[in-house]
């Protein structure tokens, strides 16, 4: 699992940018959608000059424009996109620094959103993390992805086929759809972990090996990582709801705040489910430790009973093993068999007494 750790950039100058992610192999590509209720245009591998022309086209001033960028390692291109959008330099720095936590920030006519997309890996013990950022400004929505993925494929198809109300709404509703698509990955990840947690709950009751605890701890660590990713998103969406009565910001239509309230509710549901799963893992580890302790107690009880049974026998053997010339019973013809019989009676009597007391 790729942990979220702060990485200090080598800032040799005020506006020094550095991409801190790991996806650097594929070239950076941009995709542009321009649409309204009646039509749409789609441009693949679009150049920044074309994007600038579309933004300045007065005939499309009311059209929704969605610019999706795959890849962040082309620093010059990302910097030029920031200059085109006229956003603060530190916003571009936050887009490139993938180690930062989820955040939301409103600057005059610009809304910036950064979120972590998390999916389970094939090895089942780690998660795949990708940072996705959004800039909402006027009729434009720009999404920044670290690499190509299919998170938004169904949204593109809805735009192409004019399905639903996406083409009737502005870019704030499109932002809601994109955030909702990213949040679906959280549900997929948590559902994946729930299947494993259920299996661990059963295995912890039958398997006494140490690897069970290791797998429990791995799942607990990943769930805590998920929780740390969702909590700031919950806080950001809660803050976004407070913009409803803000007369200075009109980037989101009042009627569309309901959709973002749904996302906030989803965050609460996800956090509740994660807390439940963490409690289940705690129960599994506690049961495993209890079973180990109980098993150890049973072993110690058995060994103690055996030891107690042999204590009087050892005493008798020790007495008759002393090297005195004059000891009673030494000259008895059947003394050996009588002592063995007496020792057997002691063993049977002690076992009967322990059974009666239910000590084993």
């Amino acid at each position: 699992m790729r942990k979220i750790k702060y990485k200090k950039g080598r800032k040799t100058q005020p506006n020094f940018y550095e991409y801190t992610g790991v996806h650097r192999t594929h070239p950076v590509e941009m995709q542009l959608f321009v649409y309204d209720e009646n039509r749409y245009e789609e441009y693949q591998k679009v150049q920044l000059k074309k994007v600038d022309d579309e933004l300045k086209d007065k005939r499309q001033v009311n059209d929704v424009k969605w610019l999706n960028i795959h890849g962040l390692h082309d620093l010059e291109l990302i910097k030029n996109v920031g200059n085109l959008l006229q956003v603060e330099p530190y916003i571009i720095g936050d887009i490139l620094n993938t180690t930062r936590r989820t955040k939301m920030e409103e600057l005059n006519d610009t809304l910036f959103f950064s979120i972590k997309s998390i999916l389970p890996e094939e090895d089942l013990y780690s998660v795949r993390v990708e940072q996705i950022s959004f800039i909402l400004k006027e009729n434009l929505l720009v999404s920044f992805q670290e690499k190509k993925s299919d998170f938004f494929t169904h949204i593109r198809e809805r735009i192409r086929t004019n399905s639903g109300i996406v083409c009737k709404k502005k870019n704030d509703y499109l932002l809601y759809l994109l955030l909702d698509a990213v949040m679906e990955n959280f549900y997929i990840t948590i559902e994946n972990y729930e299947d494993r947690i259920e299996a661990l709950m059963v295995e912890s009751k039958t398997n006494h090996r140490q690897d069970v605890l290791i797998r429990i701890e791995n799942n607990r660590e990943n769930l805590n990582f998920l929780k740390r990713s969702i909590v700031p998103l919950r806080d950001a969406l809660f803050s976004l709801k407070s913009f409803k009565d803000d007369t200075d910001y009109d980037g989101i239509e009042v009627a569309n705040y309901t959709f973002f309230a749904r996302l906030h509710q989803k965050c609460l549901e996800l956090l509740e489910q994660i807390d439940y799963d963490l409690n289940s893992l705690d129960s599994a580890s506690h049961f495993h430790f209890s079973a180990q302790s109980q098993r150890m107690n049973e072993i110690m009880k058995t060994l103690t009973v055996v030891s107690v049974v042999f204590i009087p026998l050892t005493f008798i053997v020790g007495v008759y093993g002393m090297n005195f010339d004059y000891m009673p019973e030494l000259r008895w013809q059947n003394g050996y068999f009588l002592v063995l019989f007496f020792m057997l009676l002691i063993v049977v009597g002690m076992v009967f007494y322990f059974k009666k007391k239910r000590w084993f």
Side-chain angles (χ1 to χ4, degrees):
M1 177 179 66
R2 181 157 63 97
K3 294 182 180 297
I4 298 297
K5 294 182 179 179
Y6 174 70
K7 180 177 180 181
K8 185 178 181 180
R10 304 184 302 274
K11 295 192 174 181
T12 56
Q13 52 186 347
N15 293 334
F16 178 83
Y17 299 120
E18 181 183 8
Y19 172 57
T20 60
V22 297
H23 305 286
R24 302 172 182 269
T25 56
H26 299 288
V28 177
E29 296 181 0
M30 297 192 298
Q31 179 187 43
L32 178 64
F33 279 88
V34 181
Y35 66 88
D36 60 13
E37 186 176 355
N38 300 315
R39 66 179 186 85
Y40 92 97
E41 296 177 2
E42 179 179 352
Y43 304 96
Q44 299 288 343
K45 297 182 180 180
V46 66
Q47 300 298 315
L48 198 59
K49 178 67 168 59
K50 177 63 176 178
V51 176
D52 188 24
D53 293 339
E54 290 292 327
L55 294 178
K56 293 179 179 178
D57 191 346
K58 295 183 179 180
R59 297 170 300 175
Q60 301 179 148
V61 66
N62 294 321
D63 292 349
V64 176
K65 302 171 183 65
W66 173 25
L67 176 63
N68 190 35
I69 301 175
H70 296 114
L72 301 178
H73 54 277
D74 190 340
L75 302 182
E76 189 64 28
L77 175 61
I78 301 302
K79 179 181 177 181
N80 291 334
V81 171
N83 293 333
L84 177 64
L85 301 178
Q86 298 180 348
V87 297
E88 296 292 336
Y90 74 88
I91 295 294
I92 302 301
D94 287 343
I95 293 173
L96 295 173
N97 190 350
T98 60
T99 63
R100 295 294 179 88
R101 75 198 297 264
T102 297
K103 65 179 295 186
M104 185 274 297
E105 192 165 351
E106 180 261 323
L107 299 169
N108 299 324
D109 61 341
T110 303
L111 181 68
F112 170 67
F113 227 113
S114 178
I115 184 175
K116 304 294 181 186
S117 173
I118 299 178
L119 282 171
E121 291 279 16
E122 294 181 359
D123 62 4
L124 302 180
Y125 294 107
S126 59
V127 292
R128 183 170 69 252
V129 184
E130 178 186 350
Q131 177 169 290
I132 302 177
S133 303
F134 304 97
I135 293 179
L136 182 72
K137 186 173 183 178
E138 297 174 350
N139 285 331
L140 174 67
L141 176 63
V142 185
S143 55
F144 300 84
Q145 297 181 248
E146 292 190 67
K147 61 183 182 65
K148 276 193 173 183
S149 57
D150 55 357
F151 301 155
F152 308 140
T153 302
H154 64 290
I155 299 176
R156 296 187 184 96
E157 288 301 318
R158 289 173 65 176
I159 294 175
R160 291 169 182 145
T161 59
N162 197 1
S163 302
I165 62 174
V166 59
C167 292
K168 300 177 183 179
K169 292 283 189 178
K170 296 298 182 181
N171 57 345
D172 54 347
Y173 181 77
L174 178 61
L175 174 61
Y176 154 73
L177 291 178
L178 299 181
L179 290 174
D180 185 59
V182 175
M183 289 184 64
E184 286 298 320
N185 295 337
F186 288 106
Y187 282 98
I188 295 173
T189 304
I190 293 176
E191 182 179 358
N192 181 274
Y193 279 109
E194 285 180 344
D195 295 338
R196 278 180 276 165
I197 290 171
E198 184 177 351
L200 278 173
M201 289 287 290
V202 176
E203 189 174 0
S204 65
K205 299 176 182 179
T206 57
N207 190 346
H208 304 293
R209 296 192 306 176
Q210 192 72 17
D211 64 317
V212 176
L213 282 178
I214 295 176
R215 279 180 281 144
I216 289 176
E217 289 304 316
N218 287 337
N219 283 276
R220 181 185 285 114
E221 181 182 355
N222 288 340
L223 285 176
N224 281 321
F225 179 80
L226 280 170
K227 188 173 183 179
R228 292 199 307 271
S229 301
I230 297 175
V231 167
L233 176 60
R234 177 203 62 187
D235 297 338
L237 290 170
F238 181 80
S239 300
L240 184 61
K241 293 195 301 181
S242 65
F243 292 171
K244 185 175 182 180
D245 300 323
D246 188 354
T247 57
D248 296 331
Y249 179 72
D250 58 354
I252 298 178
E253 295 181 358
V254 176
N256 289 338
Y257 277 101
T258 304
F259 299 112
F260 293 95
R262 293 178 183 175
L263 296 181
H264 180 259
Q265 185 63 32
K266 282 188 175 183
C267 285
L268 297 179
E269 294 175 358
L270 289 169
L271 290 173
E272 288 178 358
Q273 189 59 48
I274 289 176
D275 287 336
Y276 175 81
D277 292 336
L278 287 173
N279 290 333
S280 298
L281 287 175
D282 288 339
S283 299
S285 60
H286 292 161
F287 186 91
H288 184 79
F289 281 121
S290 299
Q292 289 282 63
S293 299
Q294 180 65 23
R295 184 166 174 264
M296 183 62 68
N297 290 337
E298 292 293 333
I299 294 174
M300 293 303 298
K301 184 166 63 175
T302 303
L303 294 176
T304 302
V305 169
V306 173
S307 300
V308 170
V309 168
F310 276 91
I311 285 175
L313 306 184
T314 304
F315 172 76
I316 295 173
V317 172
V319 168
Y320 281 95
M322 294 187 293
N323 296 319
F324 289 104
D325 290 334
Y326 302 102
M327 288 183 65
E329 298 96 22
L330 287 180
R331 304 299 178 181
W332 289 4
Q333 182 178 359
N334 297 318
Y336 171 74
F337 301 102
L338 290 174
V339 170
L340 287 180
F341 179 73
F342 179 69
M343 293 169 67
L344 179 61
L345 286 179
I346 291 175
V347 171
V348 173
M350 293 182 71
V351 171
F352 177 78
Y353 179 77
F354 293 156
K355 283 288 188 180
K356 186 176 181 181
K357 290 290 185 178
R358 294 185 178 180
W359 288 356
F360 71 94

